[in-house]
Amino acid sequence: MSNPREPIEVADLDASLSKAARYRELNGQLAALFGGERSGMANAANLCALLYQNLPELNWVGFYFVQGGELVLGPFQGKVACVRIAIGRGVCGTVARRRKTLIVPDVHAFPGHIACDKASASEIVVPLLQKGRLLGVLDLDSPLLARFDQEDAAGLEVAAELLLRCSEFNRLVD
Ligand code: SME
């Protein structure tokens, strides 16, 4: 792993990049950032920071992990958030049940949406699936309506796969 006395350098992304190119760069940076580190907690935390700093128009990025049959808040960036979400409730709980990425262009039109930050207008949630087992979800919120599209879904699904491939989650999930 990197020398703890040296700051980890992650270059800012070129603002003129297309969305797909930006995700390719970000996912390359993520792979380098994870390095040989296997802690799911540490890698999930750095993933949140990297996305929050490098994707425009976000007000929240974070994880919920499956613990005791419900979703429990994990590492995140943004305002404080609700800690426990039942499977099937809200956008996160719906994704946990359906096990498919969900893009919500207007959270106020989503029945049962759980508002953690009243600035949130749109949301995307990606399931974390390892060999068919649901470990949790990755949730991004934006203050803009319809901020997320299929390119975001594709880029974030690659980021989630990278995280799962590089990390152990035994202590975060039960
Ligand atoms: N909006 C989510 C709750 C989590 S927060 O956005 C951080 C939902 O409806 O599940």
Side-chain angles (χ1 to χ4, degrees):
M1 205 34 207
S2 55
N3 183 333
R5 284 169 299 187
E6 289 176 10
I8 299 171
E9 298 286 345
V10 179
D12 283 341
L13 295 188
D14 178 350
S16 68
L17 288 177
S18 70
K19 194 182 264 194
R22 182 179 285 253
Y23 276 109
R24 276 195 296 278
E25 289 279 314
L26 268 181
N27 284 324
Q29 289 182 339
L30 264 186
L33 192 54
F34 295 157
E37 178 56 61
R38 296 291 299 166
S39 162
M41 175 75 87
N43 287 343
N46 263 339
L47 184 151
C48 292
L50 191 74
L51 295 189
Y52 196 68
Q53 285 164 25
N54 285 288
L55 292 176
E57 307 296 353
L58 299 181
N59 61 313
W60 203 87
V61 177
F63 288 91
Y64 284 88
F65 291 107
V66 177
Q67 288 175 5
E70 61 186 348
L71 295 171
V72 179
L73 184 64
F76 69 94
Q77 300 266 313
K79 287 192 177 171
V80 294
C82 59
V83 174
R84 291 174 189 273
I85 298 176
I87 305 291
R89 273 203 65 219
V91 185
C92 293
T94 300
V95 168
R97 177 164 283 164
R98 293 189 196 160
R99 298 175 169 216
K100 276 198 173 149
T101 298
L102 185 58
I103 296 170
V104 179
D106 178 358
V107 295
H108 300 107
F110 187 92
H113 167 256
I114 301 162
C116 292
D117 179 347
K118 62 181 186 308
S120 296
S122 62
E123 184 163 0
I124 183 169
V125 179
V126 175
L128 303 177
L129 289 168
Q130 199 166 53
K131 294 177 188 159
R133 178 183 176 210
L134 180 79
L135 301 188
V137 299
L138 169 61
D139 180 15
L140 283 78
D141 287 23
S142 170
L144 291 187
L145 285 169
R147 156 70 180 78
F148 305 104
D149 60 18
Q150 288 304 327
E151 283 188 319
D152 293 290
L156 294 169
E157 284 170 2
V158 171
E161 279 164 26
L162 260 176
L163 175 71
L164 293 177
R165 201 176 328 131
C166 293
S167 321
E168 304 288 346
F169 285 94
N170 297 339
R171 294 201 189 127
L172 285 178
V173 175
D174 58 31

